[in-house]
Amino acid sequence: MARTSQDVTDAELSILQVLWTIPNAIVRDLTERLYPEGTVAHTATVQKLLERLEAKKFVKRNRNTWPHQFTATVAREELIVRQLQSTADRLCEGELHPLLTSLVKAYGLNPDDRQSLRSMLDELDRAGKKKN
């Protein structure tokens, strides 16, 4: 199946993961983090990945500074939602329930996670009743 232009590759994701922890990073920051013994080729790779992410509007470049600074424009949570919905679209005809129940069954939840999920569901129920 062909990748859509808005999909994030694993290499692009590694850039975003650094940008989520180091906002306003420069190319050198990213290269050092991703390739501790980086070469000129690694720096070029990081620059190319940033260009791709910028074209996809997942990264913003501040051209008012030198060196340019890069910031993620997509939050981790937003990307999680996008990726889960994409997976649900491909595997579950767009339905999230089979995807979520499969994850829970396969990996389980610890007591804290179960309580957090219960609280979230209760909150969603309360919000739904207020709308009715």
Side-chain angles (χ1 to χ4, degrees):
M1 175 178 282
R3 187 181 291 274
T4 68
S5 65
Q6 291 303 305
D7 281 349
V8 176
T9 66
D10 289 344
E12 292 167 345
L13 179 59
S14 66
I15 297 284
L16 287 171
Q17 288 172 327
V18 175
L19 289 174
W20 289 327
T21 60
I22 307 174
N24 301 314
I26 62 174
V27 171
R28 184 180 61 223
D29 296 334
L30 294 160
T31 303
E32 288 174 356
R33 183 65 75 90
L34 295 170
Y35 307 102
E37 297 177 19
T39 64
V40 173
H42 290 122
T43 301
T45 297
V46 168
Q47 289 173 328
K48 187 62 174 172
L49 291 169
L50 285 165
E51 289 172 11
R52 288 183 193 169
L53 286 166
E54 189 176 16
K56 294 178 182 182
K57 305 220 183 296
F58 288 145
V59 165
K60 182 175 76 172
R61 178 191 310 241
N62 181 352
R63 296 177 188 276
N64 296 324
T65 63
W66 186 258
H68 294 168
Q69 295 177 331
F70 296 86
T71 305
T73 59
V74 62
R76 182 186 312 264
E77 294 77 18
E78 182 182 344
L79 189 58
I80 290 170
V81 169
R82 284 175 179 232
Q83 294 293 324
L84 286 175
Q85 186 60 60
S86 175
T87 300
D89 291 345
R90 285 191 322 269
L91 299 176
C92 308
E93 298 176 0
E95 295 294 323
L96 288 174
H97 182 264
L99 177 66
L100 297 174
T101 54
S102 295
L103 285 170
V104 170
K105 285 179 183 178
Y107 297 103
L109 295 173
N110 66 41
D112 289 340
D113 290 340
R114 285 194 301 274
Q115 184 54 49
S116 176
L117 183 58
R118 280 188 190 100
S119 295
M120 183 184 63
L121 292 172
D122 289 345
E123 186 177 318
L124 288 171
D125 285 344
R126 285 191 296 275
K129 288 179 184 175
K130 289 178 185 178
K131 290 181 182 180
N132 293 335

